Amino acid sequence: MSRKLFIAGNWKMNSSAVASVEVARGMASELGSVEAVDLAICPPFVYIPGVAEALKDSNIGVGAQNMYFEDNGAFTGEISARMLKDIGCRYVILGHSERRHVIGETDELINAKIIKALAGGLEVMFCVGELLDQRKSDRTTEVVTTQITAGLKNIGPEALLGITIAYEPVWAIGTGETATPDQAQETHAMIRALIGQLYGTELAESIRIQYGGSVKPGNAAELLGCPDVDGALVGGASMTVEDFSGIVNSVL
Ligand code: PEP
């Protein structure tokens, strides 16, 4: 089955109101009419309205990098799925390694967020991935299997259609280290087989699995050319029009 590639940018906490709109306008002009690949930009919360406005007439969707699992109420500092929809988000990234390992989010919390995001009409980029010492001790399959099984708990086959899995080996995020195409393909195939066990072959064949970890214009085509790699979640290189366009153009 051929799956449409999905390339999304996860902007880091480095922009400004003016710069984020400028970059989004540049992306709208360079990539706004691309149809062959699904595209999204996920800025920090505060820049979402400006970026959404700049991208509104383009084919580039907007997403957030996190959300809370309640709709309303006294949860100071938190943002709900309903609020993200309200300001034009189509997507939300959940379970990013920086939230797991810097902020301390658990599989259970991520699962609650995924359930609420899907119920609220958002599409989820659900991130999983192993630490360097886990890879070195041959525990990648075990770690990723636990993250996926726990993260997808109580999510039925219909809801699964709203999820893209992002495999992001933690040792490759923001480090300049990239998984080799063989390493990426091996783990993506394992993830697809796991989805097959949990949901059946048809859904396993249709779910998209993005790779993330130092994707750049120079390595994107090779990584995204792997049979089970269906796109990319791009951090640093999604923050400039030149690099993000370079990545997208390398697979068109
Ligand atoms: C990310 O932020 O999800 C990411 C993969 O970052 P980078 O591309 O900079 O490694």
Side-chain angles (χ1 to χ4, degrees):
M1 170 190 239
S2 83
R3 294 170 293 268
K4 191 176 184 184
L5 293 179
F6 178 19
I7 301 178
N10 175 34
W11 287 1
K12 301 291 172 172
M13 203 176 68
N14 293 326
S15 198
S16 72
V18 170
S20 58
V21 169
E22 208 170 288
V23 172
R25 285 196 186 129
M27 287 184 181
S29 119
E30 286 288 318
L31 300 169
S33 50
V34 168
E35 285 177 357
V37 175
D38 286 335
L39 296 174
I41 292 294
C42 304
F45 287 133
V46 291
Y47 302 138
I48 291 172
V51 168
E53 174 64 25
L55 297 178
K56 75 174 188 306
D57 295 321
S58 79
N59 290 340
I60 308 172
V62 178
Q65 301 177 358
N66 181 34
M67 51 157 265
Y68 197 54
F69 63 86
E70 297 284 358
D71 282 327
N72 302 290
F75 302 103
T76 301
E78 296 295 342
I79 305 272
S80 68
R82 181 187 60 74
M83 291 169 163
L84 294 180
K85 286 291 282 184
D86 190 33
I87 56 167
C89 286
R90 173 169 172 183
Y91 303 100
V92 62
I93 297 170
L94 293 172
H96 191 277
S97 73
E98 287 148 18
R99 299 220 51 96
R100 290 178 186 270
H101 300 296
V102 182
I103 314 289
E105 291 195 5
T106 61
D107 287 326
E108 291 68 32
L109 178 63
I110 295 161
N111 174 245
K113 291 182 178 191
I114 295 176
I115 290 172
K116 188 52 97 171
L118 295 169
L122 290 165
E123 293 174 48
V124 173
M125 281 172 259
F126 167 35
C127 304
V128 296
E130 80 287 1
L131 297 162
L132 183 58
D133 64 315
Q134 293 168 333
R135 172 158 284 263
K136 282 189 173 158
S137 56
D138 232 358
R139 293 179 53 218
T140 299
T141 299
E142 174 204 323
V143 169
V144 171
T145 299
T146 301
Q147 290 172 336
I148 291 183
T149 311
L152 296 180
K153 194 169 168 203
N154 296 327
I155 292 172
E158 201 146 310
L160 188 79
L161 297 170
I163 296 179
T164 295
I165 293 175
Y167 169 58
E168 300 204 304
V170 182
W171 47 272
I173 299 178
T175 58
E177 285 278 326
T178 314
T180 63
D182 282 351
Q183 285 173 322
Q185 169 55 28
E186 186 185 25
T187 309
H188 281 231
M190 179 274 285
I191 292 171
R192 200 175 302 287
L194 174 62
I195 297 295
Q197 283 166 28
L198 297 172
Y199 293 94
T201 319
E202 203 176 315
L203 280 177
E205 282 304 311
S206 64
I207 196 165
R208 293 190 289 196
I209 308 172
Q210 296 169 318
Y211 168 78
S214 301
V215 175
K216 306 182 236 345
N219 61 21
E222 207 184 2
L223 285 160
L224 274 61
C226 297
D228 287 295
V229 178
D230 309 313
L233 183 53
V234 185
S238 70
M239 296 198 65
T240 68
V241 178
E242 190 186 351
D243 282 346
F244 196 60
S245 305
I247 289 170
V248 175
N249 287 327
S250 77
V251 299
L252 288 180

